[in-house]
């Protein structure tokens, strides 16, 4: 969901990481949508070389994806291939989450694994040989680099082969479009993405078997590449303007190049998020954690309605793997599943149980917005907003006042303030008769409100990032001083800026948790 402040926040992230030139190209793609290289040059007024290098950097760092479309050129030569570039907004947001990703990794793997994935996060993409070289440079306890990469990463789906360099995006014909909208079988099977960005990402993904596979014999892989390249006829080579990814260290699509699998990390963040623990006792929390662990390997996407179903025996088998779960009996687990079902966190069907991710995320989102309303507008506004949120329909002002026990003279003021700030929708109802009357009706529209709340979060994230940059830039000389030179007042200033930085960066991490809830989960 791309909002105005979401765009500004993404541009600021790119500016901090890669400078103004790359950020200018990125902002152009964010605001204009998919563009050809020539159009990017025209809108940004940069030279062809500058645009080319900026795009290469963004592709290397997985922030832009190239794709081709076929357009009729009006001549007998047939359709003409047209290369365009689309920005991957989600991947830009992930750049501020690298610390979270490495924390998750450190909890499951040793330091060698953390360092290898850290290399992928820093460099965007690495060839298999480069990954082996990094493994050899930090070889520990006799582990071979091939075993390290194959066993620790690929099988855990935390890395993947890079997507196709320029997938062909097939346009939907006029006959096919309405059929898909009506929910044809092909549409349900394929799961047509909603945006151009999602369509391109889907088209670029390698086949599942290839995506998470690894070739440990680098030399044989290179030989196979050379063999395949000899079979390509000159007529199969495209003649239109294409960026050669080899120039920025990213090989063509036949080479073994890897990148971090952001979806794998985001799924882990969703599982570790403590959204519903306040509603549960320790037993139910342990059962829910066990179900998450048991079904994680079967998940394919971050945004999914339900987990795969599990039998009671399978759940109990997973529960007793943890120290806390070994104190639970089968009846205790069954009772916890009943509690989870009453809260709509788990769906029970026959003898199987599945986690209702959609309901858990919805409850967490409601509580987050209610917390914002309570802190910003007070307890009376919180009660009014909660009533309207739960009712899901239009309610009249006096009805709201009577139900929430808010003074009738205060209720209209609170409702108007919430409406003015975008938290409520208002409709006027005019009743004609002997005497014309006008009533104000109020409701919460989640779809509109969630987008508004997310934009506010992006605004806050941008402000926090700007404040961190300002504080660090203001004390740049002090931060560069050697430790033995910081004495007396200088040491006090250094301690102050250190505390400010920790506080601001901690606030950034907490705010990003909320952004994950509304944007990614």
């Amino acid at each position: 969901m791309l909002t105005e402040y979401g765009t500004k926040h993404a541009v600021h992230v790119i500016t901090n990481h890669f400078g103004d030139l790359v950020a200018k190209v990125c902002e152009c793609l964010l605001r204009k949508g998919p563009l050809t290289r020539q159009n990017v040059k025209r809108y940004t007024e940069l030279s062809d070389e500058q645009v080319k290098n900026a795009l290469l950097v963004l592709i290397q760092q997985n922030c832009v994806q190239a794709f081709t479309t076929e357009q009729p050129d009006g001549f007998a030569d047939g359709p003409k291939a047209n290369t365009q570039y689309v920005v991957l907004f989600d991947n830009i947001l992930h750049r501020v989450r690298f610390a979270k990703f490495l924390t998750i990794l450190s909890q499951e793997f040793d330091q060698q694994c953390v360092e290898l994935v850290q290399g992928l996060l820093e460099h965007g993409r690495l060839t298999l040989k480069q990954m082996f070289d990094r493994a050899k440079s930090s070889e520990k306890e006799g582990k071979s680099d091939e075993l390290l990469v194959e066993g620790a990463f690929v099988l855990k789906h935390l890395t993947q082969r890079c997507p196709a360099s320029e997938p062909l995006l097939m346009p939907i014909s006029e006959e096919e479009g309405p059929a898909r909208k009506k929910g044809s079988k092909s549409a349900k099977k394929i799961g047509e993405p909603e945006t151009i960005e999602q369509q391109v990402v889907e088209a670029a993904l390698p086949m599942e078997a290839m995506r998470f596979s690894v070739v440990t014999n680098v030399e044989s892989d290179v030989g196979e590449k050379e063999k395949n390249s000899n079979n390509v006829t000159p007529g199969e080579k495209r003649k239109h303007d294409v960026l050669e990814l080899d120039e920025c260290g990213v090989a063509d699509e036949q080479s073994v190049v890897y990148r971090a699998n952001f979806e794998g990390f985001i799924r882990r963040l969703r599982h570790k998020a403590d959204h519903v623990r306040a509603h549960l006792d320790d037993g139910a929390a342990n059962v829910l954690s066990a179900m998450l662990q048991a079904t994680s390997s079967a998940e394919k996407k971050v945004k999914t309605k339900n987990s795969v179903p599990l039998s009671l025996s399978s759940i109990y088998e997973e529960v007793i793997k943890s120290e806390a779960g070994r104190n639970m009996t089968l009846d205790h687990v069954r009772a916890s599943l009943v509690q989870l079902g009453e809260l709509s966190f788990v769906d029970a069907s026959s003898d199987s149980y599945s986690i209702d991710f959609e309901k858990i995320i919805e409850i967490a989102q409601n509580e987050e917005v209610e917390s914002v309303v309570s802190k910003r507008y007070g307890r009376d506004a919180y009660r009014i907003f909660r009533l309207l949120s739960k009712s899901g329909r239009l309610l009249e002002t006096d009805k709201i006042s009577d139900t929430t026990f808010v003074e009738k003279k205060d209720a209209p003021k609170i409702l108007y303030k919430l409406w003015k700030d975008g938290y409520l929708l208002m409709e006027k109802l005019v009743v004609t008769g002997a005497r014309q009357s006008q009533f104000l009706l109020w409701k919460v529209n989640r779809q509109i409100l969630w987008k508004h709340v997310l934009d506010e979060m992006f605004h806050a994230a941008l402000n926090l990032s700007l404040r961190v940059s300002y504080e660090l830039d203001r004390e740049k000389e002090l931060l560069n001083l050697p430790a033995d030179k910081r004495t007396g007042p200088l040491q006090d200033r250094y301690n102050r800026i250190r505390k400010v930085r920790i506080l601001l960066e901690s606030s950034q991490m907490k705010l990003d948790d909320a952004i994950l809830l509304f944007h990614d989960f």
Side-chain angles (χ1 to χ4, degrees), residues 11-24:
V11 172
H12 182 70
V13 170
I14 295 298
T15 302
N16 278 347
H17 292 190
F18 307 112
D20 294 333
L21 180 65
V22 177
K24 188 172 185 178

Side-chain angles (χ1 to χ4, degrees), residues 113-171:
C113 301
V114 175
E115 290 174 359
L116 277 174
V117 172
Q118 185 176 5
L120 283 175
L121 295 176
E122 289 176 357
H123 300 289
R125 304 179 179 195
L126 291 174
T127 64
L128 199 59
K129 183 178 185 304
Q130 290 169 326
M131 293 179 69
F132 288 162
D133 291 341
R134 290 181 66 89
K136 288 177 180 178
S137 65
S138 60
E139 193 169 349
K140 185 178 179 182
E141 297 179 1
K143 289 185 178 180
S144 68
D145 47 359
E146 292 87 353
L147 180 62
L148 185 64
V149 174
E150 182 175 11
F153 301 129
V154 178
L155 297 182
K156 288 291 185 179
H157 288 198
L158 291 180
T159 64
Q160 63 176 54
R161 291 197 180 199
C162 286
S165 59
E166 290 181 38
L168 177 63
L169 193 63
M170 300 299 295

Side-chain angles (χ1 to χ4, degrees), residues 267-332:
R267 285 199 299 270
R268 280 167 165 76
L269 285 175
R270 185 192 62 194
H271 291 174
K272 292 180 180 295
D274 196 12
H275 297 311
V276 297
R277 186 168 288 273
H279 299 271
L280 308 174
D281 58 28
D282 291 340
N286 290 335
V287 170
L288 184 61
S289 297
M291 293 180 70
L292 288 170
Q293 185 65 31
T295 59
S296 60
S297 60
E299 292 179 17
K300 302 299 181 185
K301 293 184 178 181
V302 175
K303 294 184 179 182
T304 181
K305 179 174 172 57
N306 291 92
S307 68
V308 296
L310 294 171
S311 65
L312 178 61
S313 59
S314 298
I315 295 171
Y316 186 69
E317 182 181 348
E318 190 67 35
V319 167
I320 59 177
K321 290 180 180 180
S322 65
E323 186 175 350
R326 296 188 190 104
N327 296 323
M328 300 180 67
T329 64
L330 191 60
D331 287 339
H332 194 176

Side-chain angles (χ1 to χ4, degrees), residues 1-13 27 30-31 89 92-93 451-466 511 515 519:
M1 189 185 298
L2 190 57
T3 65
E4 176 60 26
Y5 280 105
T7 299
K8 292 180 179 179
H9 177 53
V11 172
H12 182 70
V13 170
E27 182 174 12
L30 281 167
R31 296 195 179 279
F89 177 70
I92 296 176
L93 295 185
K451 184 175 181 179
H452 172 72
V453 169
L454 181 61
D455 196 45
E456 286 189 335
M457 290 178 179
F458 283 136
H459 191 182
L462 175 61
N463 287 340
L464 279 172
S465 184
L466 289 171
L511 182 58
I515 292 174
H519 180 75

